[in-house]
Amino acid sequence: MASPPQPAAYRPATDLLTLGPGFYDPVDPADFPQARLRFRNQRWAERVGLGDLSDDDWTRHFARFAPLDGSLPQPLALRYHGHQFRVYNPDIGDGRGFVFAQLRDDAGRLLDLGTKGSGQTPYSRFGDGRLTLKGGVREVLATEMLEALGVETSKTFSLIETGEALERNDEPSPTRSAVMIRLSHGHIRIGAFQRLAYFQDTEGLKTLTGYALQRYYGDASGDPVRLLDHVVGATARLAGQYMAAGFVHGVLNSDNINISGESFDYGPWRFVPTWDPAFVAAYFDHQGLYAFGRQPEAIHWDVMQLAVALRQIVDAAPLIETLDSFGDRYQRAVTDAILWRLGVIPRGVGDMATIQAIERGLRNEATPLADFFHESFGGRIPKAYGPAYDEARAALAPYRARKQRDAPFWAGPPCAMLIDEVEAIWTDIAQSDDWSAFERKIDQVRAFGSALAD
C-alpha cells in the first residue's frame, strides 16, 4: 500500500516582480470589520507548505493580508484588457482582487495566491471591490467539483466572511460579504497580452512572452510561436474537460482565459442537467455565445486574440498554422476526457467514433448526465438505457476498465452539482447560518474525486 503524501515544505517565490512595474500596480487591501473563517482548504495548504498555520495566522494572512514570509511584500493588481462578449474593453484589470503571494507546490509548480473581494484597486471603476458570501460559497462548490472531475482548475484556498452588508442589483440585498483566496497556476490572462498590443508595447510583449514560457511551460526559448503552441494545447485540453464535466463557465471572455490553460474565476457557472449544447449559464448571455456546446469555439476565439497580439512581435504565418491545430487537439482532448470519466482506457483506434456514439445517445434521450456517467463507470452502459444507446454500447464493448468500481461509493447515488442543490445549500447558510449541507457536499465531492482518480 502506498504511503500517504507528506506535507510539502513552504517555498515562497517572487517571480512576478521580475516583470517590472509596468505590469501591475501595488495596492492596499480593504480593512474589513470582521474576519470569520468559513472554508480552509487544508489538503492544498499542505501541498504548498502552509498546512501548519493556525486559524488565527490563516486569518491574519488571508483576511488582513499580512505578507507571507519571503513572498511578495505588497499586493499587486495586474493590468490587462480583454474582449467581453466579443467587444474590446481597455478599461478593465484586477478590479476586486490582487496577487497576494507566490509559492511552489509539492511538484515544484509556481503558483499564485490571488484574491477576490479584497477591496478597490485602480481598475474597480464603479465597483465596490467586494465579493458576496454567496459568490464565495458558489466558487468553493465549483472548484471542488471541477477538481473531482479532473478539470484543470484553480483551487479555492480560503473563504472568510467579512461582516459588511453589500448591495447587489441581481440578487436579494443587502447580502453578506466575504473575501476569497484562489490558488492558481498563474494569473496571466490573454488580456494581459492584448493590453500590451493595444499600446504597441513590443518590448513588454517580449518580456511577458518569455516570463510565461519559462514559468508555466519550462521553456526558455522566448519564442512567441512556441508560447501560442503551448496555449493552444492547454486550452484545447481545458475545452475538452469542460465538455466531459458537463460544465458551463458562463463568461469565457479573453480576460478570463489563463495562458496556463487553467480554468478560473467562476461567476454564473452551471453544470448541465443533460447533454444540451444550447444550455446557457449566464442570464445576460442573450445570444448563447458561451452556451455549453459553443465553449470550444469561444475558447478558440479567445486564443485567436492572443495570436493577434503576438503578431506584433512575430510573423503571422506560423501563428495561423498553430491556431489551426486547435480543432484536432480539442477532439483528442474531449475524447480522452470522456473516456476517463467513463473509467476506461483509450484504445487509440476508434475512440472518437465511440465518443460520438455516446454523445448521440445522450443528446437524443436527454439522459441526466451525472446519472449516466455514474451508472456507466467502467464502460458498461446499463440495459435500462434503451436502444438509443445500442451503438454506444457496442462501441464500448472492447474497452478495458481503468479501475474497478469502488464500493460503497458507486453503490450510492451519483454526485452532481446542479443549481437547485447549490441554491438549497446557500439558503441554509443565508437563513440560519447552517453550514452543514455545504460541509457534507464538500465531503461527498471529495469522495467522488477519489473514486474517479487514477
Side-chain angles (χ1 to χ4, degrees), residues 132-171:
T132 67
L133 181 60
K134 182 179 183 180
V137 166
R138 282 173 45 82
E139 186 140 345
V140 174
L141 295 173
T143 55
E144 289 285 328
M145 189 65 171
L146 289 171
E147 184 180 6
L149 285 165
V151 177
E152 295 291 333
T153 179
S154 62
K155 315 302 186 292
T156 307
F157 195 70
S158 172
L159 181 66
I160 293 174
E161 188 168 0
T162 53
E164 295 178 313
L166 303 181
E167 296 291 334
R168 293 292 184 265
N169 294 328
D170 55 353
E171 60 184 90

Side-chain angles (χ1 to χ4, degrees), residues 82-89 194 252-255 288-290 294-302 304-305:
H83 278 88
Q84 298 181 309
F85 287 85
R86 305 280 168 93
V87 177
Y88 193 76
N89 188 349
Q194 292 182 276
L252 290 174
N253 297 327
S254 62
D255 60 300
L289 183 63
Y290 300 143
R294 296 185 67 182
Q295 291 181 119
E297 169 202 339
I299 292 172
H300 185 210
W301 192 92
D302 288 330
M304 287 174 58
Q305 307 321 303

Side-chain angles (χ1 to χ4, degrees), residues 61-75:
H61 289 302
F62 303 132
R64 304 304 182 194
F65 299 105
L68 287 171
D69 289 346
S71 191
L72 301 178
Q74 186 172 4

